[in-house]
Amino acid sequence: MATFSTITYAFLIAFNAVFWYMLIKKVNASYRFKQFAKQNGCLDAPDVSGPFPYGIATLRRIFAMKTTGEDIIDDIIAEDFKDHHTVKKTVFDGSVLVSTNEPANLQHMFATKFNDFETGKLRANIFYPLLGKSIFTSDGAFWEHSRSLFRPHFNRENINDLQSTDRACDAILEAIGPADSTGWTADTPMLQLLYNFTIDTATDFLF
């Protein structure tokens, strides 16, 4: 009985510690977010979470896409921006996601106030197995160094030159092969073809 009580007390203490840690962390993040919004003259974004909490309605639509024929970008995500350019919603883990397609906000984040924003640990941890430590998973000095290496290549002349991309697209379509009478191509392993497509376009663009 004593052992059970000790385990129970230890569990309750641990549970309370985690609970208060998460609560304080959430309150602190909310306070910093509001202060940042106030300093930059931001209004509260409209909430598009819907009637069900934690994105349940969105998750249900995603699972039903094969049946309904909906597209995750055009029908589900784009719907959030039907009436507003910047929105917020509570997602599956209980956190609040703020999304925007407002050009002024994007310019603010990627140019004029870039140092106020970061990629964040969540994205870095998710993409690290795929991309390693790269421009897509880093912040601070490493990101600035990577950006300085790539920036000269992203001039208007290079971006508007789509001939190399067109050649790479023709090559991958030729590798996939023509469609048959039903309108479908033969089963084709795409992974290596996409790797080759990326190498073709990237090397021609950068070098």
Side-chain angles (χ1 to χ4, degrees):
M1 190 70 176
T3 303
F4 175 79
S5 299
T6 302
I7 295 174
T8 302
Y9 288 138
F11 173 79
L12 291 174
I13 291 172
F15 177 82
N16 277 280
V18 171
F19 172 81
W20 284 107
Y21 169 77
M22 297 298 294
L23 180 62
I24 293 171
K25 183 179 179 181
K26 186 173 183 178
V27 171
N28 182 53
S30 177
Y31 173 77
R32 290 189 293 107
F33 186 81
K34 289 180 180 179
Q35 288 296 107
F36 180 82
K38 184 178 180 180
Q39 292 170 4
N40 290 274
C42 301
L43 299 176
D44 193 25
D47 194 326
V48 294
S49 300
F52 300 102
Y54 304 114
I56 293 176
T58 300
L59 189 61
R60 182 179 179 185
R61 290 177 66 183
I62 291 173
F63 286 148
M65 283 195 306
K66 188 173 182 179
T67 303
T68 62
E70 286 189 311
D71 181 83
I72 191 169
I73 301 293
D74 294 336
D75 299 314
I76 298 177
I77 295 178
E79 187 177 274
D80 292 342
F81 300 99
K82 183 172 58 177
D83 300 314
H84 306 282
H85 288 293
T86 302
V87 297
K88 69 178 181 180
K89 67 191 309 182
T90 303
V91 292
F92 313 124
D93 64 350
S95 60
V96 176
L97 175 67
V98 178
S99 305
T100 184
N101 63 5
E102 175 63 51
N105 287 339
L106 298 177
Q107 183 183 32
H108 192 79
M109 288 188 288
F110 293 118
T112 57
K113 288 284 188 177
F114 178 79
N115 290 331
D116 289 343
F117 300 88
E118 62 180 15
T119 300
K121 292 182 179 180
L122 179 62
R123 174 172 166 173
N125 291 336
I126 291 173
F127 284 102
Y128 185 84
L130 176 65
L131 302 175
K133 187 176 182 181
S134 67
I135 192 172
F136 301 106
T137 58
S138 59
D139 289 305
F142 184 88
W143 186 92
E144 290 179 3
H145 175 68
S146 301
R147 187 188 186 209
S148 68
L149 294 177
F150 281 101
R151 191 169 189 175
H153 300 283
F154 286 89
N155 56 56
R156 181 166 298 184
E157 182 181 346
N158 281 344
I159 292 174
N160 291 336
D161 182 10
L162 299 178
Q163 291 182 356
S164 61
T165 304
D166 190 48
R167 288 194 298 270
C169 287
D170 288 341
I172 196 172
L173 290 174
E174 183 179 351
I176 293 172
D180 58 21
S181 58
T182 65
W184 290 91
T185 63
D187 290 341
T188 306
M190 292 297 298
L191 185 59
Q192 188 60 49
L193 295 181
L194 292 174
Y195 281 151
N196 293 343
F197 175 82
T198 302
I199 292 296
D200 289 345
T201 53
T203 52
D204 198 50
F205 181 74
L206 295 176
F207 305 108

